[in-house]
Amino acid sequence: MKKFRLLLLMPVFFVALLAAAPRGGELRLCLRGEPKSLDPLMVTDEPSEVVRYLTSGILLRRNRRTQQLEPELASAWKVGNAGKRITFHLRPDVRFSDGTPFDAADVEYTLRRLADPGLASPAGEIFRTAARIQRFERPNPLEISLEFASPVSALEDLFDEAPLLSSRSPIKEKAVLGPFRLAHYRRGVSLRLERNPNYWKVDSAGARLPYLDAILLEIQLNRDIELTRFRRGELQLISNLDADSFDRLRRQAPGEAVDAGASLESEMLWFNQSPAAPIAEYRKAWFRSRAFRRAISEAISRKDIVRLVFRGLAVEAAGPFSPAAKFWYNPRLAPPRQDTESARKRLAAAGFRRREDRLLDAGGHAVEFSLITNSGNRNRARIAALLQEDLAKLGIKVNVAALDFPALIERLNHTHDYEACLLSLSGIDLDPNDQMNVWLSSSSHHPWNPRQAKPATPWEADIDRLMKQQAASYDPQERKRAVDRLQEIVYEQAPVIYLVHPYALMAVGASVRGTEPSALKPRLLWNAERLYLERPVAGKQ
Amino acid sequence: MKVRSSAAAVLLILLLVTAIGADWIAPLPYQQQNREEARQSPGPAHWLGSDDLGRDLWSRLLHGTRVSLLLAAAAALLATLIAAAVGVTAAYCGGCADRLLMSLTDLFLSIPWLFLLLTVRALLPLNTPPWESMAITFLLLGLLGWAGAARLVRASALARLASPFALQAHAAGLSPPRLLAFHLLPNLTPVLEAQFLLALPAFLLGEANLGMLGLGVSEPLPSWGNLLAGLTSPGAVAESPWLIAPAVLVLLSLLAMHELFGRSRRIA
């Protein structure tokens, strides 16, 4: 009889458990632009990336907090043949949002589409170049092996960004495996994502994820309006705040301002060393002089940039990898401290001399250069003003020219008609392979001297070799050694003078629970399936 | 009425004096960074506080007034002179010259001047010193901003040329230069003054717009435009209301000009 009563009470118990689970609610946040494509394979911009991340399923995920790989739709994986083969074991009983079952055929279909040159998927570029798949093997519906033409470094990371599609669903790419699916899209206004009823993941208590009912992504370009609406409680998350807004927010609502430490981004300065640049030869000689570049680097007060421009919300930079890239960061390289005297000595040793308050080169030319940057960025305008004063102490005159972005890019990439540039490297990934186009001397995006037929200097040849070496190796330690050496060369030669790494700054509403803020993108949404809104307790305001 | 006009005159004279004498009146050099005194509230050391880099905002405002007020006035004068030359020539010559000049005017009216300014600024040599680049910006504003006024001047000149005094002067055998210089232009003065006064705030705001876009006067030189760029964030203004000082100055100077010149024209 007792057992019977217990059985009767079981459904009541489960209903109570479900009610207590932190389910429900609609999370509201802003996208800072219209998504250019809702096709997960054709994503190129950040708003589309957010939608893709929230709706698509992936095989493996790099945990944005620990930076370790975690199983997603692949419950296990194994890399073999020195990085030329990977085998995935897929989770059973997984279904797309429309109920279509998921299996190895879908993985093969997705990867074939990503590698299709006719589709030219931006997300699949790597599968058409460095990671060409030679053979697929599907011994059973829940296992798939991929054989690559050559060893692929950071092989598993490729599957953190490969959104899986259904090969059989009648609604094609609208069938998703992610925690949410697109419910409604009002062009220019908002996108509403609702819970995917077939999402496979459950929490430790067995409750089905995601906790949220929906996410409303409002399209809002104006950051001030976004912040005002957040303060009014109309939005619950802001994934990216500038230092000024963050500083104000942390004074007004300290609990809502979230700082995840240094981001992967860098503010940096470089001199044009391109032989094709239409600038005087004696100036090119300054820019090619290691002593000149090191002296400039030493004369700059990075501490003041952090304190005055970023309100303490940045770290001084020594090189291309910030402390946010836990594995790749080289802690042996300390950011250069401002030392005007040492900078003067370096310049004197290189043949520069002072006359009154100006610095002259060996040929008697007064040292003066223009510094271009993009207009409308207040932080960069402030950095430029600080550089002007720091370098004036050496007798160097800096003329700042703020250009609109197309004009800036035209000069950087096409005419090469500039002397120095102050810009940021943003939107970068954790893995050094993502910076291949920055470091290879043959690349069109190699900042100081692009498109070199062969490396102009021995140290640039070394950088090329190290980048290729790390890209060809599957061994993480071997890759790390190569990347560490690369950072040392960049530090010694200063072709790019790294200034600061700004912090990853965010805002999280008081009602939001489950966030694990990270400096890596998507900073607050990477674990969207575990976010929920705290329900107001009855009778309590 | 008289009190308002006097107040406006005093304000404008004060502005002009501060603009011209900024070097002597400003307590600190406008570019001097006192990095340990950044973001200070108004006080004895910095009457209007200091900016993010510790520069004295009062000194920057004084120098910014010189830059904006004097160069906007120069640009407005240039635009008015071009408008007068084009409008009067078109009205007096008529025929082909009139059609040609008015077509040119229409062409200038149809140019999106902001984009043209952006393009021209992008083409300037990068090592152009801040003063030169700023003078070029205002010169461009003047060279591009005459077209609307030229149409008005032409219409007014046509009306004056058809009036009895002009016909009488013509019949008396007055030479065209004498007719234009001594009879037509003096009669067009109210129109030209009005156009000058309309152009002045337009150019002030044009420079301010460029400054807000970060494309105006370059660092470290201050102008009303780049000082107004500090107002882009409502939060910053709420926290530091003294940042609106440049906006107040723009507004007051425009009101003073309107009061003084507008009223004197109405009386005339």
Side-chain angles (χ1 to χ4, degrees):
Chain A
M1 189 63 189
K2 262 186 182 175
K3 272 184 182 173
F4 183 66
R5 262 188 220 159
L6 267 175
L7 277 172
L8 274 177
L9 283 172
M10 282 291 269
V12 179
F13 174 70
F14 274 117
V15 168
L17 198 72
L18 278 175
R23 285 181 71 104
E26 182 183 81
L27 185 75
R28 291 173 174 234
L29 61 143
C30 283
L31 291 178
R32 288 176 178 173
E34 186 89 28
K36 286 187 179 146
S37 173
L38 294 177
D39 181 341
L41 302 189
M42 302 308 286
V43 164
T44 52
D45 55 308
E46 201 172 320
S48 312
E49 184 81 20
V50 171
V51 177
R52 181 190 69 73
Y53 199 90
L54 292 170
T55 55
S56 297
I58 47 178
L59 289 170
L60 308 171
R61 173 163 77 179
R62 191 165 283 282
N63 182 310
R64 270 36 175 189
R65 282 292 281 255
T66 63
Q67 297 187 8
Q68 299 299 312
L69 278 166
E70 291 176 345
E72 281 278 303
L73 289 162
S75 54
W77 71 96
K78 190 180 169 192
V79 177
N81 201 4
K84 285 171 74 175
R85 183 184 174 87
I86 188 164
T87 301
F88 294 107
H89 297 274
L90 308 181
R91 289 182 192 278
D93 305 323
V94 174
R95 289 181 178 274
F96 282 87
S97 54
D98 66 337
T100 315
F102 163 73
D103 63 22
D106 299 315
V107 178
E108 182 176 343
Y109 169 76
T110 304
L111 292 172
R112 283 192 187 280
R113 284 203 67 196
L114 281 166
D116 180 4
L119 182 67
S121 156
E125 193 183 345
I126 189 78
F127 293 106
R128 298 191 296 276
T129 51
R132 253 178 289 171
I133 302 170
Q134 280 194 323
R135 200 168 65 239
F136 292 89
E137 283 171 27
R138 283 191 277 135
N140 63 64
L142 293 179
E143 187 181 334
I144 183 165
S145 295
L146 316 173
E147 194 80 39
F148 293 87
S150 52
V152 181
S153 63
L155 177 56
E156 297 101 316
D157 277 305
L158 304 184
F159 301 95
D160 176 84
E161 292 184 355
L164 294 166
L165 304 181
S166 170
S167 55
R168 284 156 290 183
S169 168
I171 57 170
K172 301 192 173 184
E173 69 268 2
K174 286 180 186 158
V176 295
L177 288 165
F180 298 92
R181 64 181 179 184
L182 183 64
H184 191 60
Y185 178 22
R186 286 175 68 199
R187 212 165 273 278
V189 180
S190 65
L191 293 95
R192 191 167 189 277
L193 309 180
E194 63 181 15
R195 175 191 290 134
N196 173 1
N198 295 322
Y199 189 53
W200 59 275
K201 214 181 266 187
V202 291
D203 68 9
S204 53
R208 191 161 282 277
L209 297 176
Y211 293 133
L212 290 167
D213 289 325
I215 297 183
L216 187 72
L217 302 166
E218 298 189 25
I219 296 161
Q220 175 58 261
L221 277 72
N222 188 310
R223 295 183 176 205
D224 286 319
I225 294 176
E226 184 184 17
L227 186 59
T228 307
R229 294 193 59 204
F230 175 83
R231 294 288 296 124
R232 276 198 230 132
E234 293 169 13
L235 304 171
Q236 283 107 22
L237 290 182
I238 301 180
S239 294
N240 192 6
L241 277 175
D242 62 81
D244 289 353
S245 305
F246 182 87
D247 189 49
R248 269 197 302 282
L249 183 66
R250 75 175 163 183
R251 277 181 277 124
Q252 293 162 354
E256 297 185 344
V258 177
D259 150 21
S263 66
L264 296 175
E265 295 170 9
S266 322
E267 290 292 333
M268 56 195 206
L269 158 77
W270 72 88
F271 291 99
N272 185 357
Q273 297 185 45
S274 168
I279 50 181
E281 281 304 319
Y282 68 87
R283 289 185 182 226
K284 284 184 193 169
W286 306 339
F287 304 152
R288 286 182 194 141
S289 156
R290 174 173 166 263
F292 179 82
R293 297 190 302 264
R294 289 287 301 267
I296 298 287
S297 179
E298 263 184 337
I300 296 168
S301 172
R302 288 165 175 78
K303 200 172 133 201
D304 283 345
I305 297 177
V306 169
R307 188 170 59 88
L308 300 173
V309 179
F310 291 94
R311 298 180 181 239
L313 298 164
V315 287
E316 297 172 40
F321 291 92
S322 92
K326 291 177 186 170
F327 183 69
W328 304 106
Y329 172 64
N330 186 345
R332 291 194 300 276
L333 304 175
R337 296 274 153 208
Q338 185 183 30
D339 189 343
T340 311
E341 206 41 54
S342 168
R344 280 195 190 114
K345 283 179 190 160
R346 269 185 204 281
L347 289 168
F352 291 86
R353 65 183 192 280
R354 272 300 271 260
R355 186 189 293 162
E356 293 165 358
D357 60 342
R358 295 302 304 270
L359 184 74
L360 306 180
D361 67 7
H365 303 104
V367 180
E368 174 180 352
F369 61 82
S370 59
L371 176 68
I372 58 169
T373 189
N374 59 315
S375 60
N377 186 314
R378 292 196 69 208
N379 283 348
R380 244 160 253 154
R382 292 174 194 156
I383 295 174
L386 289 174
L387 297 184
Q388 275 180 323
E389 184 156 296
D390 285 342
L391 299 185
K393 290 176 193 157
L394 295 178
I396 298 173
K397 190 178 170 202
V398 180
N399 296 309
V400 179
L403 303 174
D404 59 298
F405 216 76
L408 184 84
I409 296 300
E410 174 73 13
R411 285 183 187 262
L412 293 180
N413 287 350
H414 302 294
T415 64
H416 307 297
D417 186 6
Y418 73 98
E419 292 176 334
C421 180
L422 174 67
L423 216 56
S424 150
L425 189 61
S426 58
I428 48 172
D429 205 356
L430 200 57
D431 196 89
N433 283 340
D434 195 49
Q435 295 188 37
M436 197 66 104
N437 62 352
V438 173
W439 297 111
L440 285 186
S441 60
S442 55
S443 162
S444 56
H445 292 95
H446 189 56
W448 65 91
N449 184 5
R451 295 188 198 91
Q452 297 176 45
K454 61 174 190 170
T457 57
W459 57 268
E460 282 177 276
D462 283 344
I463 289 180
D464 282 1
R465 180 180 54 75
L466 290 164
M467 276 312 280
K468 286 175 185 163
Q469 184 184 323
Q470 69 80 27
S473 168
Y474 179 71
D475 177 8
Q477 292 309 323
E478 190 189 337
R479 295 187 68 206
K480 169 75 173 148
R481 279 193 294 278
V483 173
D484 275 354
R485 180 66 198 128
L486 179 143
Q487 290 180 77
E488 284 162 13
I489 294 173
V490 173
Y491 189 85
E492 286 156 13
Q493 298 293 337
V496 176
I497 297 170
Y498 285 87
L499 303 173
V500 297
H501 302 295
Y503 281 0
L505 305 172
M506 295 151 260
V508 179
S511 60
V512 184
R513 295 286 178 272
T515 53
E516 290 191 53
S518 163
L520 311 185
K521 288 179 181 171
R523 292 170 172 177
L524 287 168
L525 294 171
W526 69 273
N527 65 335
E529 72 276 10
R530 293 182 190 275
L531 303 185
Y532 63 94
L533 298 176
E534 190 180 59
R535 288 173 177 175
V537 180
K540 197 176 169 185
Q541 288 295 314
Chain B
M1 291 291 179
K2 207 173 174 187
V3 175
R4 270 175 26 195
S5 298
S6 305
V10 168
L11 181 71
L12 275 184
I13 290 167
L14 268 176
L15 280 175
L16 277 173
V17 169
T18 50
I20 294 162
D23 282 333
W24 298 282
I25 302 169
L28 291 166
Y30 63 82
Q31 77 278 28
Q32 187 177 309
Q33 297 173 6
N34 303 300
R35 296 185 185 181
E36 299 309 315
E37 297 174 16
R39 294 184 205 105
Q40 294 215 340
S41 307
H46 301 285
W47 293 0
L48 261 185
S50 58
D51 71 4
D52 298 310
L53 310 182
R55 296 179 293 195
D56 183 59
L57 277 173
W58 171 239
S59 304
R60 289 185 67 73
L61 187 62
L62 291 178
H63 282 276
T65 302
R66 172 163 70 183
V67 167
S68 298
L69 204 59
L70 297 187
L71 285 171
L77 187 66
L78 176 68
T80 311
L81 289 177
I82 298 173
V86 172
V88 168
T89 311
Y92 188 81
C93 299
C96 272
D98 186 17
R99 280 199 297 278
L100 193 71
L101 286 171
M102 285 305 105
S103 302
L104 186 71
T105 306
D106 289 342
L107 179 71
F108 267 79
L109 279 173
S110 65
I111 290 174
W113 65 269
L114 187 63
F115 293 102
L116 188 66
L117 270 174
L118 296 185
T119 309
V120 173
R121 278 194 61 86
L123 292 173
L124 283 180
L126 296 175
N127 268 314
T128 309
W131 265 103
E132 280 177 33
S133 88
M134 179 198 53
I136 292 169
T137 303
F138 279 101
L139 182 70
L140 284 168
L141 284 171
L143 288 173
L144 294 171
W146 56 267
R151 280 212 158 272
L152 261 172
V153 172
R154 174 183 170 273
S156 302
L158 280 175
R160 302 289 190 284
L161 283 170
S163 64
F165 80 87
L167 293 174
Q168 212 167 7
H170 216 62
L174 223 63
S175 67
R178 204 174 160 80
L179 175 68
L180 292 177
F182 293 102
H183 296 276
L184 190 58
L185 276 176
N187 276 290
L188 286 174
T189 311
V191 177
L192 295 176
E193 269 185 23
Q195 290 313 304
F196 173 80
L197 290 171
L198 283 172
L200 188 56
F203 292 160
L204 276 176
L205 295 175
E207 190 276 327
N209 286 339
L210 286 175
M212 297 283 272
L213 292 171
L215 293 160
V217 174
S218 55
E219 288 280 359
L221 205 62
S223 72
W224 283 355
N226 61 24
L227 292 173
L228 282 170
L231 302 181
T232 43
S233 160
V237 180
E239 260 186 9
S240 317
W242 54 89
L243 288 177
I244 61 168
V248 172
L249 218 52
V250 172
L251 186 70
L252 284 179
S253 58
L254 295 182
L255 285 175
M257 284 176 204
H258 176 77
E259 177 63 31
L260 206 62
F261 302 116
R263 189 167 301 284
S264 64
R265 267 311 93 218
R266 283 198 294 279
I267 291 165

